[in-house]
Structures are given as C-alpha cells and as structure tokens.
Amino acid sequence: MKDISPDHTIILAKMRHIEELEQLSICTAFVDTIGLLIHQIQAERGASCLYLASSGQRFGNERSDIIEQNQDAELKFREALQRHLDQNNLVDAKQLTLVSWILLGFDQMTALRHQITLHKISFPDCIASFNRFIGSLISLIFDITDNAVNSRISTSLLALYNLVQGKEFAGQERAVGSYMFGSGQVQQEHQQKLLELIVLQDRHFELFCQFGGKALHKAWTAAMGASTQHRYQQYRHKLTHAQDGQSVKIHDGYEWFELCSQRLSEMWQMQCWLIKDMHDMLETLINDAKNDLAKTRQYLQKTQRQPAKQPTALDSTFFNLSIPVENAYTFLAHDKQHSYPMESIVSLLQQQSQQIAEIENELAETKQALAERKQIERAKGLLMSQRGISEVEAYKILRSTAMEQNRKIIDVANNILARHSLV
C-alpha cells in the first residue's frame, strides 16, 4: 500500500473538483431537458383549455399533435433522468422523492388527457392538474439549483429558475385568458386569477434580470418592448378591466393565444440562450480544471526530483508561525499584502485554499438568495393556510408589512415563521 502524502491528496482534491464540474454539467443537461418538457406541457395546457372552452369544437387536432410530441418528450425526460441518476452522486433523498412524484404524474397523465377528451373535467380542475405537474418539474429545477457547487453556474441556474417560473405564470395567463375568450364572456373569478398571475410574473422576471446579467437584461427589455407586445397588452387590459359577465369576441381568442405563445417563445429563446451559456461556461471550467491538474502534477514531479532538504527549523513548512492559522489550512484567501516564506507544497496548498475560498464566498451569496426564497415561500404558505388567502395576497401582506416597518421581506418572513414555531 502506497503511503498517503500531501502530494497525493492535493491531486485528489483537484480530481474531485473536476468530477464535481462534470456532474454539474450532467445536471445542467438534465435541467435543459426539464425546461423543454415544461415548455411543451405548457402548450398542451393552453390547447386543452381552448378545447374545453369551445366544448371540443376547436383545437382538437392541434391538441392531438401536441400530445404526440409530449409523449416523445416524456421518453427523452426518462432517458435524461436515468443518465442524471447513473452519473451523479449529488442526487439526495429529497430530490429522489420529488422525482418519484413527477414519475407518478407521468403515469396518470393518460387518464387526465382522456378526461379532457371526454369533457369529464372542469376547466379549473384541468388547469390545476397541469399546474401541479409543471410545478413539480419547476421544483426539481430549484432543487438542482440549491445543490449546485459552483457559484457562477448556481447564479445562472437561479436566473433560469426565475425565468422558468415566470414563464409558467405567463403560460397560466395564456390558458386562463384563452378560456375566457373561448367561453365568450369574462368571469370575475378568472379575471382575479389573471391579475394575480401578472403580479407573480413581474416578481420572477425582476429576479431573472437581477441574476441573469446585463446581456440577458438588455435582451429581455428589447423583447418586452416589441410591437407585438403592445397588442398583447391591449388584450390583457381588455380582460382585466371588463365587467363581470361582459361579453368578449370568441374569435379574439385565436389572436390572444398566438400573441401569448409568441411571448412564451421569446422567453423560451432566452432560456435556451441561458442553458447554452451554462454549457459553454462549464466546458471552459472543466478544461481549465484539467489543465490545472496537469500543471500541478508536473510541478510536483519536478519538486520530487530535487534533492530533499533537511529541515533546519520548525517554521520551515507547516509550523511556519508567520502564517496566520486561519489562512494556513482553512478555505480563506490568504493575505495578499504579505508574502510568507513557504516551501513548494505549502505554496500549492495556499493556492488551492484561495481558489476554494473564492468559490465558497461567491457561492454563499447565491445560497443566501436561495435560502431567503425558501423562507419567504414558507411564510407565504403559512399565511395562505392560516387566513385562507391567495398566494398574491400573502405576498402583498409580506411586502406591505416590510414597507411599514422599514424592514426586509426576509426579516418579516422569518419573524412570522418564528412566531408560528412558538405556538
């Protein structure tokens, strides 16, 4: 058995780093597949709502074509899931449980589609069923984001999550509006839902622009300012400002559906752009990590060929007391203002610690954003349960309380959860 040495373990650390990046690349490919599936299920939901609203008179053929495409998408999802599980040891029990729910949803999708075809399901139940399934897929994206080990990829995944979640609310808006046009009149219940969906979209798209970077923010602004968006906003205004029971032109449902679909397609293009950017980023990171590993091996081989030096004092390497202990072997970047007399392996370890420190510090900011999102969602869910209110109303309470008390929303959320734990 070969003796374990600092040389061996520093090489192992760099090899593990490469493995983490390669596993993250597999995760990103899986997220890409999930995003495509969500996009196509959203299209099926929209077609199903028009089909039900028209009592099966319209969108029957289109719906059938979409279902056929989605059956192929399901197979691709299962194949990508198998690769994800086979090649990724980052998958934990929580994620596997969520995957189990998604697979159960797939198993019951045939029955849901059959109920829609036979008009044996109401519009609210139809859209709620699709929303639940899509919501589970989006939750899987969030869980993968939460487990990401690279700060740059984690930030991009967080931007992607908010884009996909905002796009989902936009898809629900298309479905609700399509049903209202298809039925020929505005119902207050559906109108209120539309208003809630608009608020939820705005919140997630704001976070998408925050984490997506300047280029995506610029592209988003340009896309949302396009001429077709003006026509879409006119239809949105018509639906949200109409009187309860007011008639609308059924024929306008076609243009509404197309305008919303075009808007969703633009979001989809940005989603593809973001995914490609992550793939390119990971390819570069993996190549850089492999080059670093090769250089480290060459460096260590070179030092091993040099004659061994006899230690003359305790402070020659590990016991160099001029190096602060918190900088010697923890994941903190060393003080660049001072240079320390270090032997080769110590210098290498300091460099490795600094690299990890930079990753950890950057990742901490993204992890904090993820943790705050979880706490806000928990507080929001608690308010919804206790007061019997909608998601938008719960968020409004959090936001207004934060403004009144001059506090952050996360602080208000933590306070609500803390008070509940004491009951």
Side-chain angles (χ1 to χ4, degrees):
M1 179 178 173
K2 185 180 290 187
D3 290 338
I4 297 295
S5 69
D7 293 16
H8 297 142
T9 50
I10 195 66
I11 289 293
L12 182 59
K14 292 182 179 294
M15 291 173 64
R16 289 286 169 84
H17 179 54
I18 294 171
E19 289 173 6
E20 288 175 349
L21 290 173
E22 289 175 339
Q23 288 172 352
L24 193 51
S25 182
I26 295 168
C27 288
T28 304
F30 185 43
V31 167
D32 190 8
T33 304
I34 298 170
L36 175 59
L37 180 62
I38 290 172
H39 185 68
Q40 298 200 183
I41 294 292
Q42 287 169 336
E44 181 179 347
R45 177 181 57 198
S48 297
C49 289
L50 279 175
Y51 178 81
L52 286 175
S54 65
S55 299
Q57 298 302 308
R58 298 193 308 278
F59 264 78
N61 292 333
E62 292 88 341
R63 176 173 169 264
S64 297
D65 291 341
I66 292 172
I67 289 173
E68 186 175 346
Q69 293 172 5
N70 287 354
Q71 288 169 339
D72 291 336
E74 178 187 344
L75 293 176
K76 292 178 181 178
F77 171 83
R78 290 180 183 272
E79 291 170 358
L81 171 61
Q82 192 63 60
R83 289 193 296 272
H84 178 65
L85 297 178
D86 288 345
Q87 303 175 39
N88 193 344
N89 60 18
L90 297 177
V91 181
D92 56 17
K94 177 186 173 185
Q95 192 175 127
L96 287 170
T97 303
L98 181 55
V99 166
S100 298
W101 275 107
I102 292 169
L103 294 175
L104 182 62
F106 271 126
D107 291 342
Q108 298 180 359
M109 186 62 73
T110 300
L112 173 63
R113 288 166 175 156
H114 189 60
Q115 291 289 309
I116 295 170
T117 301
L118 299 178
H119 307 285
K120 289 187 176 181
I121 187 171
S122 66
F123 165 74
D125 288 347
C126 172
I127 194 170
S129 297
F130 277 109
N131 293 355
R132 174 173 292 193
F133 185 65
I134 294 171
S136 66
L137 291 167
I138 294 175
S139 294
L140 184 55
I141 291 178
F142 183 84
D143 192 75
I144 292 172
T145 302
D146 198 22
N147 289 328
V149 294
N150 179 273
S151 58
R152 292 168 64 189
I153 298 300
S154 183
T155 300
S156 293
L157 282 170
L158 188 54
L160 179 71
Y161 160 75
N162 280 288
L163 175 61
V164 172
Q165 184 65 82
K167 179 172 171 284
E168 163 57 7
F169 290 132
Q172 291 183 31
E173 180 189 5
R174 176 179 65 178
V176 174
S178 295
Y179 184 83
M180 292 165 73
F181 278 119
S183 63
Q185 66 175 2
V186 173
Q187 302 90 12
Q188 189 175 22
E189 173 192 358
H190 299 143
Q191 188 181 55
Q192 183 60 38
K193 181 64 178 178
L194 214 59
L195 290 167
E196 291 181 2
L197 291 169
I198 292 169
V199 173
L200 292 169
Q201 285 177 66
D202 291 344
R203 181 155 59 94
H204 283 285
F205 290 143
E206 181 182 348
L207 290 169
F208 159 68
C209 291
Q210 177 184 334
F211 291 105
K214 292 181 180 179
L216 275 171
H217 191 179
K218 184 178 179 180
W220 173 262
T221 303
M224 295 302 105
S227 58
T228 53
Q229 288 296 308
H230 178 67
R231 183 64 174 157
Y232 154 75
Q233 291 291 346
Q234 287 180 326
Y235 276 122
R236 176 190 265 187
H237 185 272
K238 181 184 293 186
L239 290 174
T240 54
H241 288 75
Q243 297 295 319
D244 184 28
Q246 181 177 325
S247 298
V248 289
K249 296 178 181 178
I250 295 177
H251 184 74
D252 284 346
Y254 290 103
E255 188 174 4
W256 164 261
F257 190 86
E258 287 302 317
L259 288 169
C260 288
S261 298
Q262 184 172 344
R263 183 168 179 255
L264 290 168
S265 294
E266 288 168 347
M267 296 174 193
W268 169 247
Q269 291 302 319
M270 291 190 194
Q271 188 174 326
C272 293
W273 177 6
L274 194 49
I275 286 286
K276 183 182 183 302
D277 187 55
M278 280 192 281
H279 281 308
D280 292 344
M281 194 188 307
L282 276 165
E283 185 177 352
T284 300
L285 288 170
I286 291 171
N287 287 335
D288 288 347
K290 288 180 176 179
N291 290 334
D292 182 47
L293 174 61
K295 289 179 181 177
T296 300
R297 279 180 167 147
Q298 291 174 359
Y299 182 67
L300 290 174
Q301 288 170 1
K302 180 181 177 181
T303 58
Q304 288 169 359
R305 288 194 295 268
Q306 295 175 352
K309 296 180 180 180
Q310 294 296 323
T312 58
L314 274 177
D315 63 353
S316 62
T317 53
F318 182 88
F319 295 103
N320 184 344
L321 301 184
S322 67
I323 304 174
V325 66
E326 67 272 14
N327 293 345
Y329 53 80
T330 59
F331 293 161
L332 294 173
H334 67 73
D335 187 354
K336 295 181 180 179
Q337 295 179 351
H338 302 88
S339 58
Y340 305 112
M342 293 177 284
E343 298 287 341
S344 60
I345 187 65
V346 177
S347 176
L348 191 59
L349 287 169
Q350 282 282 300
Q351 182 187 41
Q352 176 78 355
S353 292
Q354 183 176 355
Q355 290 174 350
I356 295 174
E358 291 169 354
I359 292 173
E360 290 284 305
N361 291 337
E362 292 173 2
L363 190 58
E365 297 178 7
T366 306
K367 292 295 184 182
Q368 181 180 353
L370 289 165
E372 288 182 359
R373 182 261 177 186
K374 289 179 183 178
Q375 290 296 88
I376 291 171
E377 290 299 312
R378 290 188 184 109
K380 194 169 62 177
L382 184 60
L383 289 174
M384 291 166 64
S385 175
Q386 289 179 337
R387 305 189 186 188
I389 57 178
S390 68
E391 182 179 0
V392 170
E393 290 171 323
Y395 185 73
K396 284 181 179 177
I397 291 173
L398 290 173
R399 186 173 57 183
S400 61
T401 303
M403 291 177 66
E404 290 169 4
Q405 299 178 359
N406 194 25
R407 302 167 68 192
K408 294 181 179 179
I409 291 180
I410 180 59
D411 295 332
V412 175
N414 285 334
N415 189 45
I416 289 173
L417 293 171
R419 288 204 311 267
H420 177 70
S421 66
L422 296 174
V423 176

